[in-house]
Amino acid sequence: MIDAVNPSTVWSPFGPFSMAALQGDGQIVHLKGQVSLDQQGKIVGRGNMHAQVRQTLENIRAVMASMGGDMSDVFSLVHYTTDIDAFMRAGEIRNEYFAAPWPVTTTVQVVRLYHQDLLIEITATAEIPRSRFRRPAS
């Protein structure tokens, strides 16, 4: 179980994120930065931030599911984007994947990602309850 922390002593979150998250007794999982690649490793949504955000979050969901987790287990995200304005316009997509308590979030604009057609990379940290966690096959 992830508990959100939004103290009244700092500014209130203006979007779908929490200021801090407390982790409990589960298995902590650190996900590699995910990008908009399909199962065959082909880029999805060239030039389309909405499509790339959606595919990237679907990849995170798939990695989580492979260990018995779901998106509600994610408590921290870092977004690396080549266009922060386009990323902010695609923000409503996150509401399809996350609900309160929102993951803590950091967003950074970068010059480019490892491939020039990629617009977004997202890293995640999650805690999957031990009752659901299963170690993926090697």
Side-chain angles (χ1 to χ4, degrees), residues 33-136:
Q34 294 295 314
V35 294
S36 183
L37 299 179
D38 64 16
Q39 261 188 305
Q40 290 71 45
K42 304 291 185 207
I43 294 174
V44 173
R46 289 180 198 274
N48 184 326
M49 181 66 77
H50 281 75
Q52 288 201 18
V53 168
R54 187 174 309 285
Q55 181 64 48
T56 300
L57 291 172
E58 283 296 324
N59 291 346
I60 291 171
R61 183 187 312 219
V63 173
M64 292 295 296
S66 75
M67 296 174 281
D70 59 46
M71 296 301 268
S72 69
D73 299 322
V74 173
F75 63 85
S76 181
L77 298 166
V78 179
H79 307 105
Y80 301 93
T81 181
T82 60
D83 184 341
I84 203 160
D85 294 326
F87 175 75
M88 297 303 284
R89 287 190 298 273
E92 76 280 354
I93 294 170
R94 285 188 36 176
N95 295 331
E96 299 170 26
Y97 293 87
F98 301 104
W102 305 104
V104 296
T105 304
T106 299
T107 304
V108 179
Q109 182 167 310
V110 296
V111 173
R112 73 170 275 201
L113 297 169
Y114 81 91
H115 189 285
Q116 65 188 13
D117 291 333
L118 291 170
L119 306 174
I120 184 77
E121 181 168 340
I122 302 175
T123 64
T125 307
E127 178 191 16
I128 301 173
R130 292 194 186 275
S131 62
R132 281 194 279 120
F133 178 78
R134 63 181 181 274
R135 190 167 298 281

